[in-house]
Structure formats: C-alpha cells, structure tokens
Amino acid sequence: DTRFFSPALGMFFRYNTSRRVAVKASVNYGYVFGDDSKNTNDFEKNRNLSFESQLIDVSAHLEFNFLPYEIGNKKFPFTPYVLAGIGIFHFDPSGLYTDPATGATRMQQLQPIGTEGQGITQFPDRKEYALTQICVPFGGGVKFNVGQIGIGFEVAARKIFTDYLDDVSTTYVDKTVLASQNGEIAATLADKSIRQDTKAGSVRGNPEDTDWYLFAGFTIYFRLDKRPDGCDSFHRNSSYIMKPDR
C-alpha cells in the first residue's frame, strides 16, 4: 500500500570480488508507520490503532550479477542482480496518546508500557520484546554505468522475527487488570476500538504472521580504485521504506 511509504536514506560500501559477485555493507535510516483508520477492513477500522517508529538498519549482503559488470567499463555496462544477507535493525514504536484531563496529545513509547500485558502476573509468558533484532535482507535490482559513475535501483525486503514492529501481535488484556499493573496509559493505548466491544482474550493481532519491511530506492556510486575485476565503490542512496498494510 503506497500510503505507507516514507522517505529513507542510506549509504553503503561494495567490494566487487569479480564482475559477477560483490559483497556489500549498508546502513539505512528510515521511518515506518501505520494507521488502522486508513484501512477499509472493518476489523482494522474498528481496532483504530496507529503507530510510528524510526528505523535503523545495518546489514551485509552478497550480490550476484546475472551479467558481467564493472563500474566505468563500457564492455560491461549493465546487469540485473539479486542479493541476500544478514543484518540487525533497531525500532521503537510510539502511539498517539490524548490526556483525558487536559486534552493534550503526545507520542508515547509503547514497548515500556506493555500494551499486551507484558510484565503483568497473569501473562508470565508475554515478555518485553527487544528493540534491536536480527533481520534477513533479500531482493534484487539493476545497476548500470553513466560514464565513470554507477546508477542503480534496488528493492530489498527484510524478513524479521518479531510481530511487534507496530506493537500489535496477540490478544487484548482486561483493561482493569492492565491499568492496575501497567498503568492507565497502557490500558488506554491497548484498546482504542471505536465500538468498544472488545473483550479480554479477543484478537488484537496475528502472532502467526510476523512483520516485515522493505527498502526501495535509487543509488549513485563510484569506484575508489582503478583495478579491474575486483573494485571498491562507495554509495549513497535515496530510498523509501514500507511496512505492509495488515
């Protein structure tokens, strides 16, 4: 859903071991968000939750070029490629909280308050989720030469192993119990449903379907040395990040 795209920036270093294979290290910074009120699904519209989070992504990739490619070499000017790798990412979801006494609004960090009962005695199995976790990048793109400069377009999804990128995963907790142990703010942000017909134990999210995100963007890069076949290149990119509509 293109409504949930947002700008991202990054830079990376690529070392070409040959004209077919390269290794790359990258750092990306972006922003993810979601808003149930923008969905057409009745369940999500009634759930009425929203979140936003900054996202820092650090990863290492192995790239395979389908065609021989070398930056600045007219004989090898273009190739599509695929990539896969491993990385880590840091996130910190927040939700919009309105103070009932003053009507003032602010963004509230969601992980520390345990909106799904993390830390309360009734749910000892619901642990506080880590804000820095492993991701598995995979995707592909195209790269080509414009004189001595390289231009590329890449789309790379991140498989992650948490369902809490948006702080939503399992079931609702009894509001009274949640308020007594995690506070009134936790109880308020845990259940913002419009019809207020939710019950403790009813579905809030789907833990069987973990979250993911992707980067898509253009890159500009150049060589740091002039040796053929194996070469270094330094890159800057301008990209977009998306969390899929759930």
Side-chain angles (χ1 to χ4, degrees):
D1 191 328
T2 55
R3 294 174 300 172
F4 298 103
F5 275 100
S6 61
L9 293 172
M11 52 178 32
F12 47 91
F13 177 88
R14 175 188 286 143
Y15 180 77
N16 298 293
T17 62
S18 70
R19 294 189 176 107
R20 291 277 191 174
V21 178
V23 292
K24 181 173 71 177
S26 69
V27 178
N28 291 290
Y29 173 82
Y31 170 82
V32 289
F33 67 99
D35 189 343
D36 282 343
S37 67
K38 296 181 179 180
N39 287 303
T40 57
N41 178 279
D42 181 68
F43 167 78
E44 292 174 339
K45 285 186 72 69
N46 179 61
R47 186 175 62 177
N48 196 37
L49 295 175
S50 62
F51 87 103
E52 61 180 53
S53 176
Q54 296 181 357
L55 188 69
I56 300 172
D57 175 287
V58 180
S59 59
H61 310 155
L62 180 67
E63 295 181 355
F64 175 77
N65 300 330
F66 289 104
L67 301 172
Y69 174 74
E70 185 177 329
I71 301 170
N73 191 328
K74 295 180 179 179
K75 294 181 179 180
F76 311 106
F78 165 83
T79 185
Y81 66 95
V82 292
L83 68 89
I86 190 72
I88 59 173
F89 71 101
H90 179 80
F91 67 109
D92 192 1
S94 297
L96 184 65
Y97 173 71
T98 302
D99 189 317
T102 65
T105 60
R106 60 180 172 85
M107 296 306 297
Q108 167 68 48
Q109 290 177 291
L110 296 171
Q111 184 249 30
I113 63 176
T115 58
E116 291 193 348
Q118 295 94 335
I120 70 175
T121 55
Q122 286 85 343
F123 294 98
D125 59 321
R126 296 190 184 183
K127 306 297 183 182
E128 185 178 85
Y129 54 88
L131 296 179
T132 300
Q133 301 199 28
I134 292 173
C135 64
V136 178
F138 61 94
V142 294
K143 44 192 172 185
F144 55 91
N145 294 331
V146 179
Q148 297 300 310
I149 299 297
I151 303 292
F153 177 75
E154 180 177 291
V155 178
R158 265 61 171 176
K159 166 66 178 174
I160 64 177
F161 303 93
T162 179
D163 195 37
Y164 282 108
L165 187 64
D166 53 3
D167 193 64
V168 179
S169 181
T170 56
T171 59
Y172 287 97
V173 177
D174 183 274
K175 280 188 173 183
T176 303
V177 174
L178 192 59
S180 66
Q181 297 192 45
N182 285 4
E184 289 290 345
I185 295 176
T188 299
L189 292 179
D191 186 357
K192 299 173 69 177
S193 54
I194 297 171
R195 293 193 294 267
Q196 290 291 302
D197 57 358
T198 54
K199 298 179 181 179
S202 61
V203 172
R204 188 172 187 261
N206 179 10
E208 302 302 319
D209 182 17
T210 57
D211 296 325
W212 60 275
Y213 61 93
L214 67 82
F215 287 99
F218 292 96
T219 62
I220 301 174
Y221 51 93
F222 54 89
R223 290 182 66 157
L224 295 179
D225 71 32
K226 302 301 181 182
R227 291 175 297 174
D229 297 327
C231 59
D232 304 294
S233 55
F234 179 76
H235 314 248
R236 296 183 184 274
N237 72 20
S238 176
S239 58
Y240 291 86
I241 185 173
M242 181 186 76
K243 179 185 183 296
D245 179 6
R246 297 176 58 196

